[in-house]
Amino acid sequence: MSDRKIRNMEEFAAVSGISRPTVSKYFNDPDSVRQTTRARIEAALEQYDYRPNVYAINQNRRLTKNLGIVVPYLADPFFAEIARNIETLCIAAGFRPILLSSHGEQSQELDNLDSLRSLKPAGVLMAPLGRASDKSAIERFCEDVPTVLFDSNIEGMGEAFIGSDNASFVNLTVDYLMRSGEPPCFLEMRTPANPNANKRRIAYIEAMKRHGQEPVVVGIEGDGWAFEEIGRQGTHAAIAAGDFTTNTILCSNDRLAIGVLSACYERGLKVGRGADCDLRVASHDDHPFSRFTCPALTTAAHDYTNVAGRSVETLFELIESGGRFRTRRETLFPAHLVVRASA
């Protein structure tokens, strides 16, 4: 098998020595070409391990109006909110969105990709699991179907990535907490499901050093997407162990912070900004329910509207460009701080 990477049908036709129209004819119907030609094409397919681009095969047919949307965990209100925004924009443009959840499982993410392949959508917007994804499978899918990634970036995959600037999230919260009280400890899952968590930890450490403070990272146990319960149990364990060295906790995401608030209530600890409060708690994401917690969470907010809008716009442009951009694009939107009663 050759190590050469074949990206499209034109390159495959060139290396196989067979005309582009004949190659296209084969992919539309293998029985439509002569047996000797079919044998040459299939030998080249094996040699170069090339998988045809489904979109390219169907360029001369009437383009489907189906658009795939894949999210890692639809029960998470963050993904439900951004998917709602994306769906609304796709419907308004005359497309039929097909929303699929991976339920936090690699096997389901792979099943979703296989289902979309069979539907031959015009394009796909995908928020991959990230750390738990089968990256080689996603790479093959992105070669077959025009794909834009959002929320969770996997370097080099898809024609574009649209997401939030995680460094801006953490810089906003750390700067605010340093101005308004004691330095924050950072609470995260020891093995986070979403790769954005790693970026936030790194940004926290850098921000604390910039302020001349020693970073304190508290990693709690737990796997999967039940973040609230992981946060609740982890907070009980961390308080019992004396892991929080200040009265301020900065959580990696709002769902963990909801668990922290629950544990504090169970321990009789008052959370807030007043002089009679035991702890301050802040977080990241502006989860749709974060303003309804008690007390309401101080958080750094995603720009839901622009992330969803730019994702859809980029996918439409990709489809109109024939399913490929000359270079991969990355667009990051900064966060904005939302100060509430918890810190």
Side-chain angles (χ1 to χ4, degrees):
M1 184 181 294
S2 172
D3 293 331
R4 178 172 177 178
K5 184 73 170 177
I6 305 299
R7 289 190 56 84
N8 53 47
M9 200 177 299
E10 285 74 13
E11 288 184 18
F12 177 75
V15 299
S16 64
I18 300 167
S19 71
R20 170 66 170 76
T22 301
V23 169
S24 178
K25 188 177 180 182
Y26 167 84
F27 285 132
N28 279 298
D29 180 7
D31 293 328
S32 66
V33 300
R34 288 182 296 181
Q35 185 62 37
T36 54
T37 302
R38 178 175 175 176
R40 288 177 60 198
I41 293 173
E42 290 174 352
L45 286 172
E46 183 173 349
Q47 179 181 356
Y48 293 103
D49 192 29
Y50 171 66
R51 297 185 61 160
N53 183 332
V54 173
Y55 180 82
I57 293 172
N58 288 281
Q59 280 188 97
N60 295 323
R61 302 176 185 173
R62 186 174 183 271
L63 189 63
T64 174
K65 286 292 187 178
N66 294 333
L67 291 178
I69 306 169
V70 182
V71 297
Y73 196 71
L74 194 55
D76 186 324
F78 164 74
F79 289 112
E81 176 64 14
I82 199 164
R84 182 188 67 80
N85 278 271
I86 288 172
E87 276 192 305
T88 300
L89 292 168
C90 291
I91 292 169
F95 285 88
R96 292 186 295 270
I98 301 166
L99 177 60
L100 301 172
S101 171
S102 298
H103 304 301
E105 299 291 338
Q106 182 187 104
S107 60
Q108 185 60 54
E109 185 171 75
L110 294 176
D111 285 348
N112 289 340
L113 299 186
D114 287 342
S115 296
L116 287 172
R117 266 199 189 91
S118 67
L119 292 170
K120 298 181 175 61
V124 168
L125 286 163
M126 180 180 187
L129 291 171
R131 179 171 164 265
S133 292
D134 181 338
K135 293 181 175 58
S136 61
I138 292 177
E139 182 178 24
R140 291 193 298 271
F141 180 82
C142 292
E143 290 172 352
D144 293 346
V145 181
T147 303
V148 172
L149 301 188
F150 68 96
D151 182 63
S152 179
N153 193 14
I154 300 180
E155 296 294 334
M157 297 189 194
E159 296 299 307
F161 168 71
I162 315 297
S164 298
D165 182 352
N166 286 284
S168 76
F169 276 67
V170 179
N171 288 334
L172 284 172
T173 53
V174 170
D175 289 352
Y176 167 73
L177 293 171
M178 289 297 300
R179 290 195 308 269
S180 57
E182 293 186 16
C185 303
F186 188 78
L187 181 75
E188 66 167 4
M189 291 169 59
R190 200 179 303 278
T191 54
N194 193 311
N196 290 333
N198 296 323
K199 297 174 183 176
R200 292 177 183 182
R201 183 202 323 111
I202 293 169
Y204 162 78
I205 292 171
E206 292 176 350
M208 291 293 282
K209 289 180 177 178
R210 177 165 47 83
H211 282 281
Q213 298 289 330
E214 187 67 27
V216 178
V217 177
V218 179
I220 57 177
E221 301 300 332
D223 293 305
W225 291 78
F227 298 161
E228 292 86 358
E229 181 61 17
I230 291 169
R232 188 186 72 83
Q233 293 186 16
T235 300
H236 277 302
I239 291 175
D243 291 336
F244 298 122
T245 57
T246 74
N247 72 351
T248 303
I249 303 172
L250 176 59
C251 299
S252 180
N253 64 66
D254 284 356
R255 291 185 60 199
L256 283 178
I258 291 171
V260 172
L261 295 179
S262 178
C264 289
Y265 175 79
E266 291 169 354
R267 286 179 166 267
L269 298 173
K270 186 174 182 180
V271 175
R273 289 184 279 170
D276 61 337
C277 293
D278 301 293
L279 289 171
R280 296 190 301 161
V281 176
S283 188
H284 305 103
D285 283 343
D286 198 22
H287 180 296
F289 300 156
S290 62
R291 63 193 179 101
F292 300 112
T293 59
C294 293
L297 269 173
T298 290
T299 185
H302 287 278
D303 190 339
Y304 287 95
T305 301
N306 276 324
V307 169
R310 184 65 62 84
S311 297
V312 172
E313 288 172 6
T314 303
L315 183 62
F316 290 169
E317 183 181 350
L318 178 62
I319 293 168
E320 292 168 1
S321 299
R324 290 290 179 264
F325 289 143
R326 289 184 180 275
T327 57
R328 187 176 188 268
R329 305 177 184 180
E330 290 193 10
T331 305
L332 299 179
F333 287 95
H336 63 275
L337 185 67
V338 181
V339 177
R340 299 191 179 109
S342 70

